[in-house]
């Protein structure tokens, strides 16, 4: 029988079917989805999720298991980034396909999210106010700043430090106290009013507070301690 005759082709086809049935060889029903395409979809989704003014996004995905066999997707892959209140340094992004067969896989992602934040230029003490000479802008990965950060001095206008900070420390909201018009030890004007009569005296604040806060003040001349209320920066009103 000549090669290529119908009988030969039938025998060849029969042998192929037997081998396939036995699991020795088989032709996949669908082409495999390239792992790099799955990783690229996860990376792109994370970049778009954190693409905001002032952000510099750096994304790394880990290699997928080479034993993973997924059908080639006939439509664009769908990647879902977990919604977190604060950006995590590590996350798992779900990538899925709906056509021709549905499949889903989770891709481990490492995120670095850089923003410009304020860092102390020198050591600062508790109770210090903040000025341009006290801080400098630096780009930092905010996924590693678990205590938060401050981006500009307008966010902390009038506030003082609640604790001492070493040089090169990222300024965080937790390091700031309230906006204090008067601090303990400040020399203040003590205003006493009785009807239309107003008397002023020099005093030393024995406490700290913002407008409306009650504190005690020592009269510098008499040494008498009186209760007072903060009414303006450096000014307190004696209480009856």
């Amino acid at each position: 029988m000549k090669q290529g005759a119908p009988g030969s082709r039938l025998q060849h086809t029969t042998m192929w079917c037997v081998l396939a049935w036995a699991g020795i060889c088989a032709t996949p029903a669908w082409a495999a989805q390239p792992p790099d395409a799955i990783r690229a979809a996860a990376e792109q989704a994370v970049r778009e999720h954190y693409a905001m003014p002032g952000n510099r996004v750096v994304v790394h995905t880990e290699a997928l298991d080479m034993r993973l066999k997924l059908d080639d997707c006939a439509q664009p892959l769908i990647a879902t980034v977990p919604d977190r209140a604060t950006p995590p340094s590590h996350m798992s992004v779900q990538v899925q396909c709906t056509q021709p067969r549905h499949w889903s896989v989770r891709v481990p992602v490492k995120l670095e999210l850089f923003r410009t934040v304020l860092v102390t230029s020198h050591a600062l003490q508790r109770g210090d106010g903040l000025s341009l000479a006290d801080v400098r802008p630096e780009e930092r990965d905010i996924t590693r700043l678990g205590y938060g950060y401050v981006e500009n001095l307008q966010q902390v206008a009038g506030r003082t430090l609640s604790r001492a900070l070493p040089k090169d420390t990222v300024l965080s909201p937790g390091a700031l106290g309230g906006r204090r018009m008067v601090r303990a030890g400040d020399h203040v004007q003590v205003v006493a009013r009785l009807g239309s009569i107003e008397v002023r005296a020099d005093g030393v604040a024995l406490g700290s507070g913002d407008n409306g806060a009650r504190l005690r003040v020592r009269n510098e001349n008499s040494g008498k301690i009186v209760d007072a209320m903060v009414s303006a920066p450096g000014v307190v009103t004696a209480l009856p």
Side-chain angles (χ1 to χ4, degrees), residues 142-224:
I142 64 172
T143 68
R144 299 182 178 275
L145 302 180
Y147 295 103
Y149 54 92
V150 175
E151 296 182 280
N152 57 71
L153 284 179
Q154 285 71 30
Q155 293 176 282
V156 298
R159 298 180 66 176
T160 58
L161 294 177
S162 60
R163 64 174 184 269
L165 295 178
K167 182 182 177 181
D168 300 328
T169 301
V170 174
L171 190 62
S172 67
L176 299 165
R179 291 178 171 82
R180 298 176 180 176
M181 291 185 174
V182 174
R183 291 182 294 177
D186 283 355
H187 291 273
V188 295
Q189 281 282 303
V190 183
V191 180
R193 294 188 178 91
L194 182 59
S196 60
I197 301 174
E198 179 179 288
V199 179
R200 291 178 175 260
D202 294 328
V204 177
L206 303 180
S208 304
D210 195 0
N211 186 33
R214 296 171 65 103
L215 48 77
R216 308 193 78 192
V217 178
R218 185 178 66 247
N219 187 304
E220 285 192 290
N221 294 323
S222 66
K224 183 180 179 181

Side-chain angles (χ1 to χ4, degrees), residues 42-185:
E43 291 178 4
Q44 182 62 25
V46 173
R47 289 192 188 96
E48 292 177 357
H49 186 79
Y50 291 102
M52 294 186 294
N55 284 356
R56 182 168 70 86
V57 185
V58 178
V59 184
H60 302 282
T61 53
E62 298 180 14
L64 299 177
D65 190 337
M66 295 302 295
R67 297 169 297 178
L68 187 66
K69 301 298 181 182
L70 300 170
D71 296 333
D72 193 16
C73 198
Q75 296 182 346
L77 296 173
I78 302 171
T80 305
V81 179
D83 197 7
R84 305 279 183 85
T86 56
S89 59
H90 292 82
M91 69 181 77
S92 178
V93 175
Q94 184 184 46
V95 179
Q96 58 183 325
C97 173
T98 57
Q99 294 291 336
R101 296 181 180 179
H102 183 274
W103 54 257
S104 176
V105 64
R106 289 194 170 274
V107 181
V109 176
K110 178 183 177 182
L111 169 67
E112 294 177 286
L113 185 58
F114 294 94
R115 287 189 69 86
T116 300
V117 303
L118 295 185
V119 178
T120 57
S121 300
H122 55 85
L124 297 170
Q125 301 301 313
R126 178 181 178 182
D128 285 350
L130 293 168
S131 67
L132 288 174
D134 299 318
V135 293
R136 67 179 186 276
E138 271 192 16
E139 191 182 60
R140 294 290 182 96
D141 178 8
I142 64 172
T143 68
R144 299 182 178 275
L145 302 180
Y147 295 103
Y149 54 92
V150 175
E151 296 182 280
N152 57 71
L153 284 179
Q154 285 71 30
Q155 293 176 282
V156 298
R159 298 180 66 176
T160 58
L161 294 177
S162 60
R163 64 174 184 269
L165 295 178
K167 182 182 177 181
D168 300 328
T169 301
V170 174
L171 190 62
S172 67
L176 299 165
R179 291 178 171 82
R180 298 176 180 176
M181 291 185 174
V182 174
R183 291 182 294 177

Side-chain angles (χ1 to χ4, degrees), residues 9-62:
R9 289 198 298 270
L10 178 61
Q11 184 181 14
H12 179 78
T13 302
T14 303
M15 180 60 70
W16 179 265
C17 291
V18 170
L19 291 174
W21 178 83
I24 298 174
C25 60
T27 302
W30 312 98
Q33 178 73 49
D36 287 347
I38 299 174
R39 295 173 60 188
E43 291 178 4
Q44 182 62 25
V46 173
R47 289 192 188 96
E48 292 177 357
H49 186 79
Y50 291 102
M52 294 186 294
N55 284 356
R56 182 168 70 86
V57 185
V58 178
V59 184
H60 302 282
T61 53
E62 298 180 14

